[in-house]
Amino acid sequence: MEPVPEPDAGRPDPPPSDPPPSDPPPSDPPRAPAVRGVPWLVLAGGILLSVLAWDRSARSLHEQAQHRFSIRVEELHSQLGDRLRVYEQVARSAASVVTAFPQLRRAEWNRFVEALRIPERYPGILAVAYARAVGAGRAGDLAAAMRADDAPGFRVWPEHGGAERAINIFSAPANETSARALGFDLMSEGIRRDAIERARDSGQPTATRAITLKVDEAGGVQPAFILFQATYRDDPPPPTPEARRASFTGVVLTPVRVMPLIDGLFGGGRHDVLVEVFDTPAGEADFPLYRNGGPTTAAPSLLPFSLLPPSLLPAAPAPISVVRELPLGGRIWTVRYESRPAGGIGVEEWGPPAVLAGGLTLSAALFLLLRTMTATRARALVLAERMTASLRRREAERTQLFTQAPLGIAVIGGDGLVVECNPAFARAAGRGRDAVVGVDLRLRAGDPAVVFALDAALQGESGKLETDQPLLTGGRRSHFSLHFQPVTADGELMFVLAFAEDIGEKRRAEQHIQYLAHFDALTGLPNRVLLFDRIAQALHEARRDGGKVGVLFIDLDRFKVINDSLGHSFGDEVLRSVARRLQAGLRDTDTVGRLGGDEFLIVVRQVADPADAAAVAETVVAQLASPFQVGGQSFVVTPSVGISLYPDDADDVEGLIRCADIAMYNAKETGRNAYRFVTREMGAKSRERMDLEASLRRAIRDGELFLVYQPQVATADGRIVGLEALVRWRHPQDGLVMPGRFLPVAEETGLVIAMGDWVLAEACAQIRRWRDRFGLSVPVAVNLSGAQFRDGLLPVKVAQALDANGLAGPELEIEVTESTLIEDIDTAAATLAGLKERGVLIALDDFGTGYSSLSYLHRLPIDKVKIDRSFIQDLSSGASDASVPRAIVGLGRSLGLSVIAEGVENEAQLQLLRDLACESYQGYLFSRPLPPDQMEALLAGLAARDATPAG
Ligand code: C2E
Ligand code: CA
Ligand code: CA
């Protein structure tokens, strides 16, 4: 939760009345991405730079070291080379002495060598000696001569030698070692002989390979070599090896210990360079003649950096190794120089790590600094942004709340003047905002009660009230709920909030609901609920006062037809007119209400005699007798009225209504436009109806139904042109029951569907049989009830019945009445089209009795019209002229329909039909409906007659 300052609670800060600026919703707080990245960039750059600097400084340091080292190696190597040259020179000068003084004596040699001051000046040289070359046979002479020359113990060893011998005759400085070497035949030993021969042949100083001197053999390995320099009789020595061999007189030998020789140069404290000397070419030797100091020491650990990866540690500079060659006495020595830290790491070695460490430290410090700075800044920015957004949002919310609240809100100052009001308040007052603000409500309120309430609020007392006066005089009128709420700070009144709600609409809605609950919306008459209530009230009264109550059940005759054919709004208008007339004819004590549809109910109170109720019924019939004028049309609506009486027929509300209903049905059955009192017999009849339903159900199931067939014949020659199937019921107890008795029940209960299915199947099966047996070629008509027609499955069922019997379609005719079609003309047209598609013929039954105009006829796929029986009956009785049958015949002709007359009972009627050129008829005159066996006899006769040749 970000801290948001509390809004100033002291004073009201009226929001602007104009709609709040539509702020875009506060977006997410900024992330300050640019600023936030900087420290990281700095850190990365710092590290990179530090590493680069470290690498550069390390590299240059290494280069410097290499340079320094190569200079040092150069110096050392030339020193070493110089020394060896000097040592060679020692051998040479000794050889020149021998050459110059062929008769040199031992003492003279000793003096010469001593003058060289070998121990001080030529470290490593053990002695400078001379071996005289003698033939094999001359060794004895030499020994003798030597013994003579102040060397009494001189003897040649080994005693026996080769053809050429080189016998050590002088060796100085004179000491025990030198003395022991005297007399030794150097040629007796391979390495020495080899070197001597090379020295003899080359005339140059020649060195042996590394050996251990005889004197050292007892005292462990001491690498050494012997340097030889040949002497010749001729001076200068002869130029060719052969001549030199011939001139060869002896050889100066200088044994040298390697260690002291080189130590003098590299030894002592000078361990900055590791020197290894091999007396073989580089790479061949595995053990050096010489090596100064021990092995290379590991660099000491550098504590400050021990946590860094080793690659970043400032290691001692990597050792630099240089290999040089050194010629010595005809051999090539190899010298390997290796740099070596002189102990610890020098200032310069600390340089690169210091650079690295410094760089890294600096980078880290910079990074931390920047990061702290940027993070703080970014956080501050985000917080500020959030705070602003939150404040703005709150402000917008408050403004919106105020301006958009459906509740009227006004702020009234301590002086009673309106400081501010919201649009809802202005609307409630019926004035603009400017006409409300600044007004003293106490002077302008429409209701004094409001003034009292506001006065109380200004005294600090909240109050609620409702008023149906305008909030401001001359303003809008409605029903308002008002609430005054004083707002105080530290016990002192700051202002008063006035909340105003227009509850007029709510009030009206409540009243309307109340009304709807008890009154019929269409006619405004009491509805079923209120009627029940009124009857109950009347019954209560009658019980108390001992009177009677009459209930009249009124149903309009054929109202359904009006509604269906002329439209519902027309029907509604008729119902309203009927309601007005019913009401007009009533006493104040009586109540008329509508139960629904075209059913009305009248409650008659204080009935002393049934005649009082009858009088009311008569008034009803009379009231409706005069024609209605609706939508420019004039027509008559007749009622059927049933009457029940308390306490005669029933003693409760439901019972009374049920009885009146039964009586009404009775009135309808017996001719309409009449009233009937309910009778015991009627009650019995209604019970009988229920029995009938149960037994009809059983009849369908148990096959108690059967069909009879009535022929249709041509008026001209009496030829059979069709048959009509009519249903009958063979009741197990009651015997034959006619459709007029059970069809209404079948229709009311829906049983007519199952019955109709059976009729269809049975008729089709019969057609099949008669076609096969008698060559029946005329269609058989089947009657359909409205319920079957509305079923939706009719075309399917018809097709199934046809298919089941292998019939094409035109063998079957369907009879429907006008009223069935007119109920829903569009669906009817579709159903008929479906039947027509299957080839079935369609006949319009009871034609002429309906209300509809003939206009729909051409819209329907009708093949035949049947003039209703009533018109034919009228024909013979002379009650009316033949205008209706004539019109129907003419219509049929013009539309290409065949016309048939029903109920023709006598010749006169037939003659009239012939005169009208009505093509066919049906009636008792020709034949009553016949059961199948009798019908078969007729068909058999016809078939036989057809078979008989005419004439
Ligand atoms: P409807 O379709 O008008 O049938 C003709 C009625 O007139 C039949 O009465 C028939 O017996 C009677 N009738 C025939 N010729 C004469 C005559 O010369 N004079 C007189 N006075 N009457 C004659 P029914 O069989 O009692 O049928 C009455 C009504 O029952 C029929 O009137 C028809 O609407 C209905 N109905 C009969 N069978 C069926 C059926 O299978 N299904 C359906 N839905 N209704 C049927
Ligand atoms: Ca019929
Ligand atoms: Ca008929």
Side-chain angles (χ1 to χ4, degrees):
M1 275 279 118
E2 67 272 60
V4 174
E6 279 303 311
D8 185 358
R11 283 203 52 78
D13 44 347
S17 63
D18 45 352
S22 54
D23 275 328
S27 54
D28 282 348
R31 306 258 154 93
V35 183
R36 231 171 246 194
V38 166
W40 291 102
L41 277 176
V42 168
L43 179 64
I47 290 172
L48 189 70
L49 285 175
S50 306
V51 170
L52 281 177
W54 166 71
D55 183 59
R56 287 261 342 206
S57 78
R59 218 182 276 268
S60 96
L61 191 72
H62 186 69
E63 277 163 11
Q64 281 173 28
Q66 217 159 16
H67 182 66
R68 274 200 308 274
F69 183 68
S70 64
I71 290 172
R72 177 96 179 98
V73 165
E74 224 39 61
E75 181 193 357
L76 290 173
H77 197 66
S78 64
Q79 276 177 15
L80 183 58
D82 289 351
R83 175 162 287 200
L84 291 178
R85 293 293 85 72
V86 168
Y87 280 33
E88 282 173 358
Q89 201 51 50
V90 169
R92 269 210 188 90
S93 52
S96 338
V97 169
V98 173
T99 307
F101 308 100
Q103 304 304 317
L104 193 68
R105 309 279 298 268
R106 216 166 61 92
E108 288 161 346
W109 182 262
N110 285 353
R111 264 200 306 278
F112 161 70
V113 173
E114 263 161 31
L116 288 176
R117 303 226 309 275
I118 284 175
E120 305 101 83
R121 291 171 63 183
Y122 310 107
I125 295 183
L126 229 56
V128 181
Y130 184 68
R132 171 76 43 86
V134 291
R138 297 284 311 276
D141 298 346
L142 181 66
M146 289 312 294
R147 277 195 288 272
D149 184 19
D150 201 21
F154 188 91
R155 60 176 191 90
V156 174
W157 59 280
E159 209 170 317
H160 303 288
E164 290 174 18
R165 304 188 86 169
I167 294 159
N168 194 352
I169 55 172
F170 305 139
S171 184
N175 51 29
E176 201 191 336
T177 313
S178 292
R180 248 194 289 150
L182 285 177
F184 179 59
D185 176 6
L186 292 158
M187 297 294 256
S188 66
E189 195 275 324
I191 294 172
R192 289 171 177 79
R193 186 177 63 232
D194 186 56
I196 290 169
E197 283 170 356
R198 277 191 289 116
R200 177 194 68 196
D201 294 351
S202 67
Q204 295 299 319
T206 301
T208 61
R209 66 171 171 81
I211 55 171
T212 298
L213 295 174
K214 297 269 178 222
V215 292
D216 291 333
E217 266 169 8
V221 181
Q222 264 267 40
F225 63 95
I226 302 169
L227 203 54
F228 294 100
Q229 175 66 54
T231 56
Y232 305 92
R233 266 184 293 277
D234 309 295
D235 189 21
T240 65
E242 293 74 28
R244 280 199 282 273
R245 241 177 252 169
S247 175
F248 181 61
T249 56
V251 65
V252 170
L253 62 140
T254 319
V256 184
R257 281 187 185 133
V258 178
M259 215 58 102
L261 165 75
I262 306 177
D263 256 0
L265 288 173
F266 310 123
R270 307 159 81 174
H271 284 297
D272 59 330
V273 180
L274 174 81
V275 182
E276 284 178 332
V277 179
F278 304 88
D279 72 334
T280 48
E284 281 179 23
D286 44 18
F287 191 78
L289 279 183
Y290 172 85
R291 172 189 216 142
N292 70 337
T296 310
T297 47
S301 167
L302 299 170
L303 272 177
F305 297 97
S306 53
L307 294 175
L308 289 177
S311 59
L312 291 178
L313 280 176
I320 310 161
S321 175
V322 176
V323 174
R324 303 295 298 268
E325 287 186 341
L326 189 65
L328 171 67
R331 294 181 66 85
I332 303 290
W333 276 11
T334 303
V335 187
R336 198 172 76 80
Y337 300 92
E338 189 183 288
S339 71
R340 222 170 56 173
I345 293 171
V347 176
E348 55 275 35
E349 280 86 3
W350 272 105
V355 165
L356 181 63
L360 290 179
T361 311
L362 197 66
S363 304
L366 209 61
F367 165 72
L368 286 175
L369 184 71
L370 279 173
R371 209 167 106 94
T372 316
M373 275 169 64
T374 52
T376 312
R377 204 180 110 78
R379 260 186 70 75
L381 264 175
V382 169
L383 278 180
E385 198 86 10
R386 272 197 206 150
M387 234 154 93
T388 321
S390 161
L391 283 172
R392 207 178 291 152
R393 198 162 49 234
R394 271 182 87 121
E395 179 63 33
E397 275 166 15
R398 285 205 298 162
T399 308
Q400 209 148 33
L401 195 71
F402 189 73
T403 56
Q404 314 222 328
L407 184 68
I409 307 169
V411 182
I412 299 165
D415 50 7
L417 300 184
V418 176
V419 176
E420 184 55 88
C421 79
N422 71 348
F425 193 91
R427 267 200 305 280
R431 293 298 176 88
R433 170 185 169 271
D434 294 343
V436 177
V437 171
V439 160
D440 189 335
L441 212 56
R442 288 169 302 181
L443 302 177
R444 294 282 311 279
D447 189 339
V450 172
V451 179
F452 290 132
L454 177 53
D455 262 332
L458 290 169
Q459 303 303 315
E461 209 176 291
S462 70
K464 261 185 183 172
L465 75 154
E466 285 188 13
T467 175
D468 50 9
Q469 296 299 309
L471 291 179
L472 295 180
T473 44
R476 209 166 63 82
R477 252 204 139 92
S478 185
H479 200 90
F480 299 103
S481 160
L482 271 170
H483 179 193
F484 291 105
Q485 180 63 55
V487 176
T488 56
D490 299 331
E492 200 156 314
L493 179 83
M494 305 303 295
F495 52 93
V496 171
L497 281 174
F499 300 104
E501 190 182 4
D502 184 346
I503 55 170
E505 199 60 42
K506 211 158 96 187
R507 264 293 162 88
R508 280 189 290 281
E510 275 168 13
Q511 285 165 357
H512 189 61
I513 288 167
Q514 195 68 16
Y515 174 84
L516 286 181
H518 293 105
F519 290 88
D520 169 44
L522 180 68
T523 60
L525 294 179
N527 64 7
R528 180 182 294 268
V529 176
L530 191 53
L531 279 173
F532 274 50
D533 199 53
R534 293 283 161 88
I535 297 171
Q537 236 175 297
L539 290 183
H540 182 71
E541 226 174 63
R543 277 188 204 110
R544 194 187 56 203
D545 304 339
K548 286 182 192 292
V549 175
V551 171
L552 277 65
F553 200 112
I554 304 163
D555 188 279
L556 304 182
D557 299 332
R558 304 195 222 238
F559 178 75
K560 191 170 164 46
V561 177
I562 294 175
N563 219 15
D564 290 343
S565 56
L566 301 174
H568 286 260
S569 57
F570 196 92
D572 287 351
E573 198 43 59
V574 171
L575 288 174
R576 271 194 286 268
S577 304
V578 168
R580 272 194 299 275
R581 287 197 192 176
L582 290 177
Q583 208 158 25
L586 287 186
R587 301 181 301 175
D588 287 349
T589 47
D590 301 337
T591 305
V592 60
R594 182 171 167 236
L595 286 178
D598 58 350
E599 294 173 350
F600 295 84
L601 205 73
I602 295 177
V603 188
V604 188
R605 287 154 115 181
Q606 296 152 15
V607 174
D609 188 274
D612 295 346
V616 176
E618 262 163 32
T619 315
V620 166
V621 173
Q623 285 284 349
L624 301 186
S626 54
F628 284 87
Q629 305 288 334
V630 177
Q633 294 198 41
S634 146
F635 54 91
V636 175
V637 176
T638 58
S640 295
V641 184
I643 306 170
S644 62
L645 290 175
Y646 167 86
D648 308 29
D649 302 315
D651 56 4
D652 65 336
V653 179
E654 281 85 7
L656 283 170
I657 294 177
R658 197 169 52 240
C659 285
D661 189 15
I662 291 169
M664 184 276 290
Y665 257 103
N666 189 260
K668 255 198 205 317
E669 276 177 16
T670 53
R672 305 179 174 176
N673 199 18
Y675 66 89
R676 288 281 182 284
F677 277 95
V678 71
T679 61
R680 299 229 172 273
E681 189 202 347
M682 284 179 203
K685 254 193 167 166
S686 79
R687 271 192 300 282
E688 184 197 44
R689 265 169 105 90
M690 282 156 73
D691 291 347
L692 197 66
E693 184 189 333
S695 48
L696 182 57
R697 215 178 280 279
R698 191 198 59 224
I700 297 167
R701 195 188 58 216
D702 296 352
E704 291 170 15
L705 299 179
F706 67 100
L707 292 181
V708 294
Y709 297 87
Q710 187 176 36
Q712 300 173 337
V713 292
T715 46
D717 52 11
R719 197 168 32 90
I720 292 180
V721 293
L723 304 177
E724 180 180 6
L726 296 159
V727 70
R728 298 288 181 268
W729 177 8
R730 195 181 291 112
H731 195 281
Q733 285 90 42
D734 302 355
L736 189 66
V737 184
M738 296 301 280
R741 243 189 89 197
F742 63 83
L743 271 179
V745 177
E747 250 152 28
E748 270 170 42
T749 55
L751 282 170
V752 76
I753 301 270
M755 193 199 84
D757 291 347
W758 176 83
V759 170
L760 253 177
E762 175 56 24
C764 286
Q766 193 62 273
I767 295 169
R768 179 77 267 158
R769 286 194 290 269
W770 285 343
R771 293 216 148 222
D772 294 346
R773 284 172 60 187
F774 308 106
L776 179 76
S777 59
V778 295
V780 176
V782 165
N783 292 280
L784 289 186
S785 77
Q788 278 178 282
F789 212 72
R790 287 187 298 269
D791 185 24
L793 290 170
L794 185 64
V796 179
K797 285 176 173 174
V798 168
Q800 275 171 356
L802 290 172
D803 291 344
N805 295 286
L807 299 178
E811 303 93 330
L812 182 70
E813 192 171 66
I814 293 297
E815 288 192 12
V816 280
T817 62
E818 271 190 288
S819 51
T820 298
L821 295 182
I822 216 103
E823 275 169 19
D824 184 351
I825 190 96
D826 293 327
T827 314
T831 307
L832 289 184
L835 292 170
K836 202 73 209 121
E837 216 168 281
R838 191 59 175 76
V840 174
L841 301 172
I842 312 238
L844 206 48
D845 208 354
D846 302 347
F847 194 72
T849 56
Y851 289 79
S852 51
S853 66
L854 303 175
S855 62
Y856 67 86
L857 265 186
H858 73 274
R859 288 176 54 195
L860 300 172
I862 292 161
D863 301 288
K864 189 191 255 182
V865 289
K866 299 183 79 173
I867 305 170
D868 189 63
R869 219 162 47 236
S870 58
F871 298 111
I872 307 304
Q873 263 167 359
D874 292 351
L875 274 184
S876 58
S877 67
S880 93
D881 58 19
S883 61
V884 173
R886 191 193 314 275
I888 294 173
V889 170
L891 176 84
R893 194 172 297 136
S894 69
L895 289 176
L897 308 173
S898 73
V899 178
I900 183 170
E902 288 185 310
V904 176
E905 296 181 355
N906 54 52
E907 276 297 334
Q909 291 165 337
L910 177 60
Q911 191 51 53
L912 269 166
L913 290 171
R914 284 202 186 106
D915 294 347
L916 291 175
C918 177
E919 52 191 288
S920 50
Y921 76 97
Q922 185 182 348
Y924 296 166
L925 177 64
F926 183 81
S927 169
R928 288 189 168 256
L930 303 173
D933 52 339
Q934 291 179 32
M935 192 67 215
E936 279 170 18
L938 182 65
L939 289 174
L942 287 176
R945 199 180 61 191
D946 283 355
T948 314

